[in-house]
Amino acid sequence: MTRYILRRLLQAIPVFLGTTFLIYFMVFAMPGDPVLAMFGDKTPNPTQLENLRAQYNLDQPFIVQYLLYLKGVFTGDLGETFSGQEVSEVLRRTFPVTLKLVLMAVVIEFLLSVVIGLVSGLREGKFVDNLNVVVALVLTSIPAFVAMFLAQYFIGIKLGWAPVTVGANATWGAMFLPALVIALTVYVTGMRLMRGSVIEARNEDYVRTAYAKGLTSRRIIPVHVARNSLIPVVTNTAASFGALIAGTTITEGIFNIPGVGNTLYQAIIRGETPTVVSFVTILTIVYVVVNILVDLLYAVLDPRIRYV
Amino acid sequence: MSERPMTHYVAPVGDGGPVEVDKVSLGSRRSNLWLDAWRDLRRRPLFYIALAIVAVILVASFWPSLFTSVPPNNDCMLANSNGAPEAGHPLGFTRQGCDVYSRIVWGARTSMSVGVLVVIITGAIGIPMGALAGYYGGRLDSILSRIGDVFFSVPYFLAAIVVMSVFSQYRNVVTISFAIGGFAWASLARIVRAEVLRLKGLEYVTASTALGRSKLSTLVQHVLPNSLTPVIVFLTIALGAAIVAEASLSFLGIGLGSSTMSWGNDISQAQQTIKTSPMALFWPSLALTVTVLAFIMLGELVRDALDPKARARR
């Protein structure tokens, strides 16, 4: 087990270096004056330009710039946002909100996957199953931001069941609607896994044996069918965790949730490229780290992986 | 040559005359993976629906004037701001007083161009990367796969955000397609690599090199064509996903410039008036969703049709 963990961590090093290098490279190796380009259509004043050049060590060779930047990442010095706040300070404030939102979304996603997948799998080919397959297809096709607007309009504005936007006070209740919408746009993968393995499990010998020895469906379905079908759903849900944290930009922007994604959203809208880049880097690092943790979790759950 | 000259006859117990047991009729219909898939697809109504939607969108993006007589961008009158539908303007007006319907028709071209370009870019990078890594193995595989891992580990929407923010002066269809396709190829490379790994040990591949064909030529002539099945499915679905990515970026204001007619731009602008005129938001969203649905449906139907196990279950 220790060897597996070590190997997995070692494998993560090139990925970590590569991703940060890639983002850094895109921004700083582009043609023209990178600092000027950061401002887009706006005209920066000379002091701003000079400060930015100093901040990104632009007088140094490219590799030195990158290494200095990495040093900053490891020592917790993540630079400043456009308005002069410490990035690490902003993270401390916003990350818990995003985590709360994503945790809620993941729990709902898991429940939807398991319940709908189980019902659909048990009724394979019947009306409920066909309906579910069609609904799933439509739900995967609705772009997240369209789904958000639909929810905002019908549930927030028309029915008034939930606040239209969340605002500063991000309570569990206020974030339920956005979390539900996120879950609805991603549950389909898990639901299909559950449905597939339920269908498979129903034809297994051990299920037939269970019926043959006189057990009722009430006992066989939860104990023999559902429990064995859960493993792929658990791993899929865990895997979606990182992607959801990295993907909250639009959700938090539309619902005005004060999380990391919203900070990024605001920076994009205002065209503050340096802030955009540092938050994208942070979200990418979080994504990479979460995926490593998920891999290690697999190894704990499923001993077969450790010996591959 | 419809029947073999030699057949074996067996007299079944209790019955009348002898019966042919191993007659091989070469005249019976041919069967291979694609033919079976095609026969299966032709029986599914959803396939025709998806195909029809895709056809309409393609026609609209090549000849938008077939669908609307309103020229792009020049009939906008603020007097019509958020106006209700009227004769000649079936879906009403946007906040700027532009005709919603004609903007949707003209927006189809933008979405399709981005979708097709992203598919080309994704394929052009992903297929060679995966094929070379899988076929040659060894050190080349390690290098290419590590590069792929890096691109795979950056969530591609975030990467596109960075590219589009950095290249803010060049917001056009080509830039946005590279921003999306330049990071979406890693998943395809993994799929191709796995497929090539599976195929390269098969006899016909060995036979090809044994007959003197070079390794590269064998890869291109025999291995790649046979590994295309999952690639086609992936790219069909990727086309839909690319359209969503473009709309999402435009929605964030870092996609295409506001002068370009794009569903994402329309949605982004209509968002500000969600309370007063939700329909201006609804129509482009519907166009976007239906288009994506058509491509995802097509991809999934083809995948199902190509999977003998899934076919047998139905």
Side-chain angles (χ1 to χ4, degrees):
Chain A
M1 188 67 202
T2 326
R3 267 191 64 203
Y4 175 79
I5 294 175
L6 275 177
R7 207 175 59 196
R8 188 66 192 77
L9 288 177
L10 279 177
Q11 279 170 353
I13 292 171
V15 170
F16 174 80
L17 291 177
T19 46
T20 46
F21 185 81
L22 196 65
I23 295 172
Y24 199 84
F25 182 81
M26 280 196 296
V27 180
F28 294 93
M30 51 177 284
D33 187 336
V35 174
L36 259 186
M38 279 178 177
F39 289 86
D41 310 329
K42 297 170 202 155
T43 21
N45 66 47
T47 346
Q48 258 178 325
L49 281 183
E50 226 163 89
N51 286 342
L52 274 174
R53 286 215 173 84
Q55 190 185 333
Y56 292 105
N57 306 301
L58 282 175
D59 40 346
Q60 310 281 335
F62 175 72
I63 288 296
V64 178
Q65 290 176 34
Y66 172 67
L67 291 177
L68 283 170
Y69 166 80
L70 265 192
K71 188 185 147 218
V73 170
F74 278 112
T75 52
D77 173 20
L78 299 168
E80 291 180 346
T81 65
F82 220 67
S83 47
Q85 289 171 289
E86 285 285 329
V87 169
S88 45
E89 186 54 43
V90 175
L91 271 183
R92 243 192 299 283
R93 202 177 59 235
T94 55
F95 198 72
V97 178
T98 298
L99 208 59
K100 214 160 137 183
L101 174 70
V102 172
L103 269 179
M104 197 158 29
V106 162
V107 170
I108 302 172
E109 179 201 354
F110 182 72
L111 292 176
L112 285 175
S113 302
V114 170
V115 173
I116 300 178
L118 182 64
V119 170
S120 194
L122 290 174
R123 300 259 182 287
E124 193 204 354
K126 306 270 173 55
F127 175 74
V128 178
D129 181 42
N130 291 334
L131 181 74
N132 167 50
V133 169
V134 173
V135 169
L137 200 59
V138 173
L139 280 177
T140 36
S141 310
I142 298 184
F145 64 106
V146 171
M148 307 281 162
F149 285 137
L150 286 177
Q152 221 177 22
Y153 183 71
F154 285 108
I155 297 172
I157 297 173
K158 281 274 144 173
L159 296 170
W161 289 354
V164 179
T165 52
V166 174
N169 187 20
T171 56
W172 291 99
M175 288 199 295
F176 180 74
L177 182 61
L180 178 68
V181 179
I182 296 175
L184 280 174
T185 53
V186 294
Y187 84 95
V188 173
T189 321
M191 182 278 290
R192 285 180 175 165
L193 287 172
M194 184 72 189
R195 177 176 174 271
S197 45
V198 165
I199 291 172
E200 227 162 82
R202 279 172 70 207
N203 299 322
E204 292 284 355
D205 290 343
Y206 61 79
V207 172
R208 198 178 318 137
T209 311
Y211 276 110
K213 71 179 183 184
L215 294 180
T216 56
S217 294
R218 181 174 286 187
R219 171 143 183 91
I220 293 171
I221 288 168
V223 176
H224 295 88
V225 176
R227 212 159 95 189
N228 278 301
S229 310
L230 276 180
I231 300 162
V233 187
V234 171
T235 46
N236 174 67
T237 310
S240 71
F241 192 69
L244 287 182
I245 290 182
T248 54
T249 317
I250 288 182
T251 318
E252 292 187 356
I254 290 176
F255 282 100
N256 194 22
I257 297 166
V260 186
N262 194 31
T263 318
L264 179 57
Y265 177 82
Q266 300 297 341
I268 295 169
I269 298 283
R270 298 200 198 103
E272 299 166 357
T273 309
T275 315
V276 172
V277 173
S278 53
F279 276 89
V280 166
T281 316
I282 289 159
L283 285 176
T284 306
I285 294 172
V286 170
Y287 178 73
V288 171
V289 170
V290 169
N291 281 347
I292 295 170
L293 292 179
V294 169
D295 273 6
L296 296 180
L297 177 77
Y298 290 173
V300 174
L301 288 179
D302 188 347
R304 277 171 302 184
I305 291 173
R306 273 174 252 162
Y307 303 108
V308 172
Chain B
M1 186 174 94
S2 66
E3 275 177 36
R4 289 193 175 177
M6 197 179 75
T7 32
H8 296 259
Y9 293 90
V10 170
V13 181
D15 251 328
V19 176
E20 296 173 53
V21 284
D22 58 354
K23 190 175 96 177
V24 176
S25 170
L26 295 177
S28 73
R29 58 182 200 175
R30 290 198 305 131
S31 173
N32 67 36
L33 189 64
W34 284 99
L35 267 177
D36 287 348
W38 172 237
R39 278 191 204 110
D40 183 62
L41 281 176
R42 276 190 317 198
R43 285 204 319 267
R44 311 207 66 194
L46 276 181
F47 176 66
Y48 291 101
I49 297 174
L51 221 53
I53 299 173
V54 170
V56 169
I57 295 158
L58 276 176
V59 172
S61 47
F62 277 109
W63 302 284
S65 44
L66 281 179
F67 288 84
T68 172
S69 55
V70 182
N73 257 349
N74 67 354
D75 73 320
C76 305
M77 282 186 295
L78 278 176
N80 288 334
S81 180
N82 288 333
E86 54 179 63
H89 303 281
L91 306 182
F93 296 91
T94 67
R95 193 154 80 129
Q96 282 78 24
C98 307
D99 178 35
V100 170
Y101 173 71
S102 77
R103 284 190 68 89
I104 290 176
V105 172
W106 287 95
R109 176 181 288 177
T110 312
S111 286
M112 283 310 294
S113 321
V114 172
V116 171
L117 258 179
V118 168
V119 162
I120 293 173
I121 295 167
T122 310
I125 309 175
I127 295 173
M129 291 287 275
L132 293 174
Y135 193 65
Y136 288 100
R139 186 164 292 170
L140 185 69
D141 183 21
S142 315
I143 295 171
L144 294 184
S145 292
R146 289 297 85 72
I147 296 174
D149 283 352
V150 168
F151 279 82
F152 191 78
S153 302
V154 184
Y156 85 126
F157 189 64
L158 287 180
I161 286 177
V162 170
V163 176
M164 293 312 287
S165 300
V166 168
F167 289 89
S168 54
Q169 292 110 315
Y170 313 99
R171 284 182 183 157
N172 54 43
V173 171
V174 178
T175 324
I176 201 168
S177 302
F178 272 100
I180 300 167
F183 285 86
W185 59 266
S187 332
L188 179 63
R190 285 189 176 188
I191 294 172
V192 175
R193 179 175 172 275
E195 196 65 8
V196 168
L197 272 179
R198 187 178 67 82
L199 290 170
K200 79 171 178 185
L202 298 186
E203 271 113 0
Y204 70 87
V205 179
T206 320
S208 169
T209 40
L211 287 169
R213 211 180 249 285
S214 74
K215 280 201 91 173
L216 187 66
S217 165
T218 304
L219 173 63
V220 175
Q221 291 287 334
H222 295 297
V223 179
L224 270 185
N226 283 297
S227 62
L228 281 185
T229 318
V231 174
I232 289 167
V233 171
F234 177 88
L235 287 180
T236 315
I237 294 173
L239 203 152
I243 290 175
V244 174
E246 180 272 317
S248 308
L249 288 168
S250 295
F251 166 75
L252 286 175
I254 49 172
L256 299 159
S258 51
S259 58
T260 316
M261 297 229 202
S262 136
W263 296 335
N265 278 340
D266 286 359
I267 293 170
S268 167
Q269 275 156 24
Q271 178 211 0
Q272 293 148 2
T273 54
I274 181 172
K275 283 187 184 164
T276 49
S277 59
M279 290 322 266
L281 179 67
F282 176 73
W283 291 116
S285 306
L286 184 71
L288 180 64
T289 308
V290 169
T291 308
V292 176
L293 178 67
F295 281 104
I296 291 184
M297 214 148 75
L298 210 55
E300 298 205 337
L301 285 172
V302 173
R303 173 163 54 203
D304 272 7
L306 285 168
D307 180 2
K309 267 193 243 159
R311 240 184 4 238
R313 271 210 302 272
R314 276 201 308 272

